[in-house]
Amino acid sequence: MDLTLTLLELAGFAALLLWGVHMVQTGVQRTFGPKLRAFLGGALRNRLKAFGAGAAVTVALQSSTATGLMLTAFQAGGLVELAPALAVMLGANVGTTLVVQVLSFNVAALAPILVLAGVVLFRRAQDAPHDFGRVLIGLGLVLTALHQFLALLEPVVASPAGEAFLAQVGRYTPLAVIVAAVLTWAAHSSVVTVLLAMSLVSAGVVPLETGVALVVGANLGSALNPLLEGADWADPAAQRLPLGNLLNRLAGLVLVMGAFSLALPLVERLGPSDARALANFHTLFNVGLALLFLPWIRTYAKLIARLLPAKDTADPGAPLYLDPEARATPSVALGGATREALRMTDTLEEMLKGLREALLVPSRTPIQATRQMDDVLDRLNTAIRAYLVSIPTDALTPDEANQLARILTFATNLEHAGDLVDRNLLSVAARKLKRGVVFSPEGEADLAALVDRLLANVRLAAAAFVSGDRSAARLLVAEKESFRELEAEAVRAHFGRLQSGDADTVDTSSLHLDALRDLKRVNTHLVEGAAYPVLEATGELLPTRLRPVATRG
């Protein structure tokens, strides 16, 4: 009964530890989210900066596992190249050793003060200070959970059964590595395992060599969570970063275990006590791996990429970047949704190229091929919408909420534009083919010019959507007026040809006018989806184009 109760208490404090880490992560992301992403984005241009950024972010998040999961989602979504992401993970592994160095001192007494300060900020402050209160509460919970977890483990390991188990583990070094890796994976924290190893060595429960094996196993276990939980197993490319991180952990394991008898005397000299020597060995182990891998990190990344080639994206309607795990980190989730929306612009561009051919060439093939692309648009829009609405709204900052709304607006308008191409414009081409008529040469030229203008506007809309740039948005709105003038001029020219009695114009008059009208409507959706949200946010969008009329009193 006592053992069962102790195990339940251990599980409870492990859960408290995980919840505390979660509060720190969400608090940091809400307080510094956009800045954190910009910081990482700037650092990823250089391997040394990426290494430093990984260490800094991990210290802030209190978990290399959290950094690994975030980077895995970034890299799988195509937002980060593999080489700098691997450099960030090397820095993250060093960063977690710094957390151990701090927590190895008796800092548990700070926990109540941190929780108190956090609650005051959380209840009384607004915006960033309110979110920073979550960070302080989380830190307090982490310190409390670690202290209680280790305190509960002491009598367990000091019991006859515990001592016998640890004696067995100590006699077989690989078993100690496996036990530490499993514990780290279960606790989602190498900090817990390393602090436990230090406590056991300090109390004389296990010898220093067993403590070294436990520390190496903890480093191995910390690489398992991103691989097992963060990677998309359906896409080998999504596994590159977590596997690359795991392989460099394994390389360190092989080096230490291969020279174990030589390494042990060196570890003994790393600190005034065995516990401090273990903490310093933990840091030295990760710094050594960073020095080993950083100089050839790009070559290493290429080897991993060759080992795990990207999957064949045979289904163009299947989303590639909507990672379910990334929803806990809205900035990452929104980045993935943005990339999917850009895939919609590529699809719409291909539809317009097919439409151009369908209007000008008397063949059913481009009509059928282009219609299939509308299904791709519909499926992508449905997937994006379902993904975005599943992101917890309380996890979004105001800027992230605005970005989410922009993505929804953009994707919805792209789908409407695709529907116009599919149901209306391709129907014009199909009816023309069925009747056996052709547009006049002048009419074909007008339609081709408008489709080409639409293709350019699709690219402009994508640029305005991604950048949120006011100049690009204003340029796109100006294109709406220009497109209206081109359409009006084409209509006037069409009526001129009707009056002159052009036979082809007479035969295709209704089809030609329908096509001109619907091409203008497609352009309107591009403007409303990409430009209007940007200008509305800056107050530059007028509520109406009508002039105010003075009323007579």
Side-chain angles (χ1 to χ4, degrees):
M1 182 65 182
D2 290 341
L3 178 60
T4 302
L5 182 60
T6 301
L7 290 176
L8 286 174
E9 289 178 335
L10 285 172
F13 283 116
L16 183 63
L17 173 66
L18 293 176
W19 184 251
V21 171
H22 173 73
M23 288 197 70
V24 172
Q25 294 166 15
T26 55
V28 168
Q29 288 160 7
R30 294 180 188 182
T31 307
F32 308 108
K35 295 180 181 178
L36 190 64
R37 185 168 59 173
F39 172 63
L40 272 177
L44 289 170
R45 301 188 186 97
N46 177 285
R47 75 184 79 177
L48 293 178
K49 288 182 179 180
F51 173 80
V57 170
T58 298
V59 170
L61 295 179
Q62 299 287 294
S63 173
S64 61
T65 299
T67 306
L69 290 170
M70 181 171 65
L71 259 293
T72 297
F74 269 130
Q75 197 270 324
L79 303 178
V80 177
E81 291 185 5
L82 181 58
L86 286 168
V88 170
M89 285 309 305
L90 289 172
N93 294 325
V94 173
T96 197
T97 72
L98 302 180
V99 175
V100 169
Q101 292 283 2
V102 172
L103 295 181
S104 63
F105 297 99
N106 186 17
V107 293
L110 295 175
I113 299 173
L114 290 172
V115 173
L116 176 62
V119 169
V120 170
L121 286 176
F122 190 80
R123 292 177 61 89
R124 300 295 179 88
Q126 300 292 328
D127 300 327
H130 170 85
D131 293 326
F132 189 68
R134 293 177 63 90
V135 178
L136 297 180
I137 294 172
L139 285 173
L141 294 180
V142 167
L143 294 179
T144 300
L146 282 172
H147 178 73
Q148 294 299 324
F149 193 89
L150 295 173
L152 276 171
L153 275 177
E154 287 181 2
V156 173
V157 299
S159 66
E163 289 183 350
F165 173 75
L166 290 172
Q168 290 290 335
V169 170
R171 280 195 289 268
Y172 188 55
T173 301
L175 181 59
V177 172
I178 293 171
V179 168
V182 171
L183 178 60
T184 301
W185 166 76
H188 283 63
S189 174
S190 61
V191 174
V192 171
T193 308
V194 174
L195 290 178
L196 175 61
M198 292 170 60
S199 177
L200 295 175
V201 169
S202 179
V205 177
V206 297
L208 180 62
E209 53 264 33
T210 303
V212 171
L214 291 173
V215 169
V216 174
N219 280 276
L220 180 63
S222 67
L224 294 177
N225 293 104
L227 181 65
L228 297 177
E229 301 174 20
D232 178 9
W233 285 87
D235 182 7
Q239 303 168 30
R240 291 172 179 170
L241 176 61
L243 181 65
N245 185 46
L246 177 62
L247 289 178
N248 73 51
R249 305 289 92 195
L250 284 172
L253 169 65
V254 171
L255 289 174
V256 171
M257 292 295 103
F260 196 74
S261 59
L262 297 176
L264 196 59
L266 297 176
V267 175
E268 292 174 346
R269 300 174 189 171
L270 290 178
S273 65
D274 286 350
R276 178 53 51 191
L278 271 187
N280 293 337
F281 166 71
H282 182 42
T283 301
L284 186 62
F285 176 82
N286 285 281
V287 171
L289 284 179
L291 292 174
L292 179 64
F293 279 89
L294 271 177
W296 64 291
I297 197 72
R298 295 196 180 279
T299 304
Y300 180 56
K302 291 178 181 177
L303 291 174
I304 297 295
R306 291 182 64 182
L307 180 64
L308 295 172
K311 70 176 182 180
D312 181 18
T313 55
D315 182 3
L320 300 179
Y321 309 112
L322 303 182
D323 180 11
E325 299 295 333
R327 288 177 294 188
T329 310
S331 58
V332 179
L334 294 175
T338 298
R339 288 183 62 83
E340 291 294 348
L342 289 177
R343 289 183 64 209
M344 291 183 69
T345 64
D346 294 338
T347 304
L348 181 60
E349 187 173 339
E350 291 302 314
M351 288 184 71
L352 290 172
K353 291 177 181 177
L355 171 66
R356 192 183 194 280
E357 183 179 359
L359 289 173
L360 304 182
V361 178
S363 171
R364 294 190 183 277
T365 301
I367 298 175
Q368 294 169 347
T370 306
R371 277 198 163 133
Q372 291 175 354
M373 296 182 201
D374 185 57
D375 294 335
V376 174
L377 270 186
D378 292 343
R379 289 171 59 197
L380 287 176
N381 180 58
T382 300
I384 292 170
R385 184 172 62 247
Y387 183 74
L388 291 178
V389 299
S390 69
I391 298 175
T393 55
D394 60 346
L396 296 170
T397 65
D399 287 343
E400 289 170 343
N402 290 335
Q403 185 182 358
L404 187 149
R406 282 184 56 216
I407 297 171
L408 280 175
T409 300
F410 186 65
T412 300
N413 275 279
L414 288 181
E415 184 193 29
H416 291 337
D419 289 341
L420 282 170
V421 174
D422 177 31
R423 299 171 187 174
N424 294 23
L425 288 161
L426 289 176
S427 294
V428 167
R431 281 183 286 156
K432 178 176 74 73
L433 188 63
K434 185 177 180 180
R435 293 181 190 176
V437 295
V438 294
F439 294 122
S440 66
E442 297 83 359
E444 284 188 346
D446 288 341
L447 291 173
L450 287 176
V451 173
D452 290 341
R453 192 68 170 253
L454 272 181
L455 285 167
N457 287 350
V458 168
R459 300 180 191 118
L460 181 57
F465 165 66
V466 172
S467 66
D469 182 63
R470 294 163 51 198
S471 299
R474 294 180 71 89
L475 184 60
L476 187 58
V477 171
E479 274 295 307
K480 183 179 180 181
E481 186 62 33
S482 299
F483 203 93
R484 183 186 295 112
E485 293 174 359
L486 287 174
E487 184 257 351
E489 183 180 340
V491 170
R492 287 193 296 269
H494 173 77
F495 285 136
R497 291 192 296 274
L498 273 179
Q499 291 173 345
S500 67
D502 185 287
D504 290 334
T505 302
V506 172
D507 290 339
T508 60
S509 179
S510 62
L511 297 176
H512 191 86
L513 292 175
D514 287 347
L516 292 174
R517 178 201 63 204
D518 290 324
L519 287 171
K520 183 178 72 172
R521 291 173 65 192
V522 170
N523 190 69
T524 298
H525 282 300
L526 295 177
V527 176
E528 292 179 352
Y532 281 6
V534 174
L535 298 179
E536 188 175 18
T538 59
E540 297 179 61
L541 190 66
L542 296 177
T544 178
R545 295 177 66 244
L546 295 175
R547 255 185 219 168
V549 178
T551 56
R552 296 180 180 178

